[in-house]
Amino acid sequence: MASDPDAGVPNLNLTPEEKRVYGQLFRAADTDAVGVITGEVAVKFFERTKLDSRVLGEIWQIADKENRGFLTPAGFGVVLRLIGHAQAGREPSPELALSQ
C-alpha cells in the first residue's frame, strides 16, 4: 500500500480564495504536470518572493518535514502561507503555517 504523500502536512483550513490562488500558483509551478514541485523548480519559483535564502530554506524545512525533496499541493500551501507571513515580518514556524 502506497503511503499518503500528504501525511504529516497540517490541515491549513484554506479559505476559498486561498484555495483558488494556491491552486493557480501550484499549476504554474508544476510545469511538467506531475502533481509535485521539486526542490529545483521551487527554488526558481520562490526566488521571486525576494525573501532571504535562509528564510526560504527554513520554510522549505517546515513544509518538507520528511526531507523528500518535493512538495505536494498541501506542502506547497504551507510554503505559500509561510512566505506571506515572512513577507509581513514574522519568523516562519510550523504553528504559523496554521495562522491566516
Side-chain angles (χ1 to χ4, degrees), residues 33-47:
V34 293
V36 297
I37 306 299
T38 63
E40 182 181 338
V41 170
V43 166
K44 293 176 189 160
F45 194 81
F46 297 136
E47 278 178 343

Side-chain angles (χ1 to χ4, degrees), residues 4-14 18-19 22 59-66 68 71-82 93-99:
D4 179 1
D6 286 331
V9 176
N11 180 352
L12 300 179
N13 295 317
L14 298 176
E18 283 176 316
K19 286 180 185 175
Y22 288 12
I59 290 171
W60 181 272
Q61 290 300 315
I62 293 167
D64 184 24
K65 285 189 296 200
E66 296 174 5
R68 298 178 293 188
L71 297 173
T72 62
F76 189 77
V78 169
V79 169
L80 292 180
R81 178 143 317 144
L82 288 173
S93 71
E95 298 76 25
L96 198 55
L98 302 176
S99 301

